[in-house]
Amino acid sequence: MTVRTRGRAFYEITREIQARVQQAGIETGLCTVHLQHTSASLLIQENADPDVRRDFERFFARLVPDGDPLFIHTMEGDDDMPAHVRTALTAVNLSIPVADGGLCLGTWQGIYLWEHRISPHSRTLVVHVIGEGGRA
Amino acid sequence: MTVRTRGRAFYEITREIQARVQQAGIETGLCTVHLQHTSASLLIQENADPDVRRDFERFFARLVPDGDPLFIHTMEGDDDMPAHVRTALTAVNLSIPVADGGLCLGTWQGIYLWEHRISPHSRTLVVHVIGEGGRA
Amino acid sequence: MTVRTRGRAFYEITREIQARVQQAGIETGLCTVHLQHTSASLLIQENADPDVRRDFERFFARLVPDGDPLFIHTMEGDDDMPAHVRTALTAVNLSIPVADGGLCLGTWQGIYLWEHRISPHSRTLVVHVIGEGGRA
């Protein structure tokens, strides 16, 4: 599964992951999502007020500033090492139980791919579903 | 599985999770715990000295202060956006191998629900166990 | 599986984990790695430029300084509570899908055990693989 990002931002992928669970025909089980990159991450967060995502960007920009003179690894750009740190502080894999053929997410939980690089990237995810099939 | 919190603090849930593994009758497998919220998290941490948990609260209170003027999303209270950030910096799902019918935790590892909101909340967890049964 | 560390640093364990997947004879499935400690963590990060790991050490040393007067839990040393915090900010368990008998890691992804204590430690990991066997 591939997500084309338009630079640093949140991209909701809840529906795409849910569709994979349905395709797998699993009624009860476990869905694992793994992002194959080191400068973008996966985050389950509030899917209601978009200000939450804006505040996340502001907080992480202050915590791990682009162009921080602390960093030696700068050849891929000012935002590269901060992108690695932001990824380490969040996650690249998630495991969500499946029941009644759907992801057991809370009402306010959405699954996001968080692109940490400034420029657009093509990001690859591996979705794995294991468990038992439905009545069909 | 529901945990009623009395506000910001750590609530140990190791025994409750262990009981679910036993109920499932799985001898060897994998236990996944998913918390269905975006302002509380799951943490595996030291279960010995309570000062460790106190220091965690102090560190996170300094790192992500309540009422930080950086945040726009404040309508749900001064502690709401910090609670989202604290959740993102830790985790909402854990996957722990199961052997001999028990969780493969280290001697000093306890599983905690970390409530990040100041006021009491009712928190829902989904526990999924997969694997092979015992001798019974 | 045991890793003997020589103090605070990154220890790559990708090949060892991969070997366990092959031993298990699983062709398609899920590999979960759990570290049984609270002052060392697991991190999937860039395996190319070693400056990336150096920058990670520098960033975390600034974010969670050893001997920070904020901390009460100091009896096990100046680096003990910072080691717990560094562990909480990263992870102690990872779940990686398996396909064609191998871990579905990205080109630049390596699995590291990140020792956060200054002195050498012996660290125990539990590797769990579930799924379906190969052609054999």
Side-chain angles (χ1 to χ4, degrees):
Chain A
M1 181 176 150
T2 301
V3 176
R4 296 189 174 280
T5 71
R6 299 171 303 281
R8 189 175 282 176
F10 286 88
Y11 301 87
E12 186 161 11
I13 55 172
T14 318
R15 260 190 297 185
E16 287 84 346
I17 306 293
Q18 179 59 57
R20 298 293 161 127
V21 172
Q22 264 147 353
Q23 273 168 40
I26 300 289
E27 195 72 6
T28 307
L30 183 68
C31 173
T32 301
V33 189
H34 177 72
L35 179 63
Q36 295 192 306
H37 302 274
T38 62
S39 55
S41 50
L42 295 175
L43 192 65
I44 295 179
Q45 260 301 330
E46 206 199 270
N47 53 14
D49 185 0
D51 281 347
V52 171
R53 269 105 68 197
R54 219 170 306 160
D55 281 350
F56 264 110
E57 286 293 356
R58 290 160 69 97
F59 180 82
F60 276 77
R62 187 177 69 182
L63 184 66
V64 199
D66 288 344
D68 192 317
L70 184 81
F71 297 131
I72 301 166
H73 174 81
T74 53
M75 57 181 175
E76 292 169 57
D78 269 4
D79 62 322
D80 184 56
M81 194 59 222
H84 290 311
V85 173
R86 291 159 67 124
T87 301
L89 291 172
T90 48
V92 293
N93 46 200
L94 301 174
S95 290
I96 305 155
V98 171
D100 302 324
L103 295 164
C104 293
L105 291 172
T107 318
W108 309 110
Q109 289 186 322
I111 307 175
Y112 292 89
L113 187 156
W114 193 359
E115 173 63 72
H116 298 304
R117 299 300 309 271
I118 301 293
S119 58
H121 279 75
S122 175
R123 302 301 195 177
T124 309
L125 295 110
V126 182
V127 182
H128 176 261
V129 191
I130 195 167
E132 282 157 38
R135 283 144 297 175
Chain B
M1 181 177 151
T2 301
V3 177
R4 296 191 174 279
T5 72
R6 300 172 300 280
R8 189 175 283 177
F10 286 89
Y11 300 87
E12 185 160 12
I13 55 172
T14 318
R15 259 190 297 185
E16 285 83 346
I17 307 292
Q18 179 60 55
R20 299 294 160 126
V21 171
Q22 264 147 353
Q23 273 169 41
I26 301 290
E27 195 72 7
T28 307
L30 183 68
C31 172
T32 301
V33 189
H34 177 73
L35 179 62
Q36 294 191 308
H37 302 275
T38 62
S39 56
S41 51
L42 295 175
L43 191 66
I44 295 179
Q45 258 301 330
E46 207 199 270
N47 53 15
D49 186 0
D51 281 348
V52 170
R53 268 104 70 197
R54 218 169 308 160
D55 281 350
F56 265 109
E57 286 293 357
R58 291 160 69 97
F59 180 82
F60 277 76
R62 188 178 67 185
L63 185 67
V64 199
D66 288 344
D68 192 318
L70 184 80
F71 297 131
I72 301 167
H73 174 81
T74 54
M75 55 181 176
E76 291 169 58
D78 269 4
D79 62 323
D80 184 56
M81 194 59 220
H84 290 311
V85 173
R86 290 160 68 126
T87 301
L89 291 172
T90 49
V92 292
N93 47 199
L94 301 174
S95 289
I96 305 156
V98 171
D100 302 324
L103 295 165
C104 292
L105 291 171
T107 317
W108 309 111
Q109 289 186 323
I111 308 175
Y112 293 89
L113 186 155
W114 193 357
E115 173 63 70
H116 298 302
R117 299 301 309 271
I118 302 291
S119 59
H121 278 76
S122 174
R123 301 302 195 175
T124 308
L125 296 109
V126 182
V127 183
H128 177 261
V129 191
I130 194 167
E132 282 158 37
R135 284 145 296 174
Chain C
M1 182 175 149
T2 301
V3 177
R4 295 191 174 278
T5 71
R6 299 172 301 281
R8 188 174 283 176
F10 286 89
Y11 301 86
E12 186 161 12
I13 54 172
T14 317
R15 259 190 296 184
E16 286 83 348
I17 306 293
Q18 178 60 57
R20 299 293 161 127
V21 172
Q22 265 147 353
Q23 273 168 40
I26 300 291
E27 195 73 7
T28 307
L30 182 68
C31 173
T32 302
V33 189
H34 176 72
L35 179 63
Q36 294 191 308
H37 303 274
T38 62
S39 56
S41 51
L42 295 175
L43 192 67
I44 295 179
Q45 260 299 330
E46 206 199 270
N47 53 14
D49 185 0
D51 281 347
V52 170
R53 267 104 68 198
R54 219 170 306 162
D55 282 351
F56 264 109
E57 286 293 356
R58 291 159 69 97
F59 179 82
F60 276 77
R62 187 177 69 184
L63 184 67
V64 200
D66 289 343
D68 192 317
L70 184 80
F71 297 131
I72 301 167
H73 174 83
T74 53
M75 56 181 177
E76 292 170 57
D78 269 4
D79 61 322
D80 185 56
M81 194 59 221
H84 290 311
V85 173
R86 290 159 68 126
T87 301
L89 290 172
T90 48
V92 293
N93 46 199
L94 302 174
S95 289
I96 306 156
V98 171
D100 302 325
L103 295 164
C104 294
L105 291 170
T107 316
W108 309 110
Q109 289 185 323
I111 308 174
Y112 293 88
L113 186 156
W114 192 358
E115 173 64 71
H116 298 302
R117 299 301 309 271
I118 301 292
S119 58
H121 279 75
S122 174
R123 301 301 195 176
T124 309
L125 296 109
V126 182
V127 183
H128 177 260
V129 191
I130 195 168
E132 282 158 39
R135 287 144 294 174

